[in-house]
């Protein structure tokens, strides 16, 4: 419900979009938001929402929400909550470029349950699959690892 909580403070671009960034993911690509804006400008009207994704090995799949892509296509078929996998998966990397018209102001709104969980919205999501360095610092152990190893 974080978006609902800060609605009054959201700064929108000229195209009515805003960036949502989950604070427990550290990305090394300093141009990632600019790349998302470029994709937003290239896709047809109504296909403006971008989600960043990373491929992770099967043994890490259970730690992340997954992007299930259509066969032979970069389109998202559906989202899966955290679960085990026998093969590498693309995960939700916690960075989104969202069209503000997806939610109504002053109403309760959860991006995970009111947006991702509703299949019709998938027609408006474009995955931006990344291969840059990143780390999830959502646990004390991973955060400690980051502090000791990231800059090396």
């Amino acid at each position: 419900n974080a978006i609902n909580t800060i609605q009054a403070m959201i700064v929108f671009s000229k195209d009515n979009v805003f960036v949502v960034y989950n604070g427990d993911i550290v990305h090394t690509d300093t141009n990632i938001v600019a790349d998302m804006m470029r994709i937003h400008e290239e896709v047809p009207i109504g296909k403006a929402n971008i989600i960043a994704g990373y491929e992770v090995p099967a043994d890490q799949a259970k730690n992340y929400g997954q992007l299930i892509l259509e066969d032979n296509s970069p389109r998202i078929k559906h989202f899966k909550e955290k679960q085990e996998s026998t093969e590498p998966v693309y995960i939700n990397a916690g960075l989104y470029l969202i069209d503000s018209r997806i939610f109504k102001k002053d109403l309760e709104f959860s991006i995970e349950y009111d947006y991702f969980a509703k299949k019709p919205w998938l027609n408006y999501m474009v995955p931006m699959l990344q291969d840059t360095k990143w780390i999830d610092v959502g646990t004390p152990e991973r955060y400690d690892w980051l502090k000791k190893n990231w800059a090396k």
Side-chain angles (χ1 to χ4, degrees):
N1 228 358
I3 293 173
N4 188 58
T5 302
I6 63 155
Q7 277 186 55
M9 296 179 277
I10 294 175
V11 177
F12 298 103
S13 74
K14 63 179 173 47
D15 294 334
N16 247 359
V17 296
F18 62 99
V19 173
V20 176
Y21 194 119
N22 289 357
D24 60 353
I25 301 289
V26 177
H27 302 269
T28 60
D29 181 357
T30 58
N31 295 316
I32 194 167
V33 173
D35 290 342
M36 292 175 112
M37 285 300 295
R38 181 186 47 76
I39 292 169
H40 162 71
E41 291 168 1
E42 290 174 358
V43 296
I45 299 298
K47 305 284 187 202
N49 303 296
I50 316 294
I51 183 170
Y54 290 102
E55 187 173 30
V56 299
D59 66 334
Q60 294 179 26
K62 66 183 177 203
N63 298 315
Y64 304 101
Q66 300 168 21
L67 305 176
I68 307 304
L69 305 179
E70 291 182 1
D71 294 335
N72 303 315
S73 168
R75 293 184 51 119
I76 300 170
K77 188 189 316 187
H78 64 274
F79 293 90
K80 267 191 197 176
E81 277 306 314
K82 302 171 183 177
Q83 56 187 268
E84 294 188 15
S85 178
T86 57
E87 55 191 52
V89 297
Y90 284 102
I91 63 150
N92 174 350
L95 181 60
Y96 323 104
L97 182 80
I98 302 290
D99 186 317
S100 65
R101 294 169 286 191
I102 68 164
F103 65 95
K104 295 178 182 172
K105 297 203 183 281
D106 302 322
L107 295 178
E108 293 291 315
F109 178 82
S110 163
I111 199 163
E112 289 84 3
Y113 299 107
D114 295 323
Y115 187 66
F116 293 158
K118 295 187 177 173
K119 206 163 177 113
W121 285 115
L122 294 179
N123 294 326
Y124 301 97
M125 291 298 293
V126 177
M128 187 174 89
L129 304 177
Q130 297 290 295
D131 60 1
T132 56
K133 191 174 176 183
W134 66 281
I135 186 170
D136 174 351
V137 293
T139 67
E141 298 79 21
R142 291 190 296 240
Y143 181 68
D144 287 342
W145 184 95
L146 173 82
K147 291 189 302 186
K148 293 175 187 168
N149 299 289
W150 192 266
K152 294 179 182 181

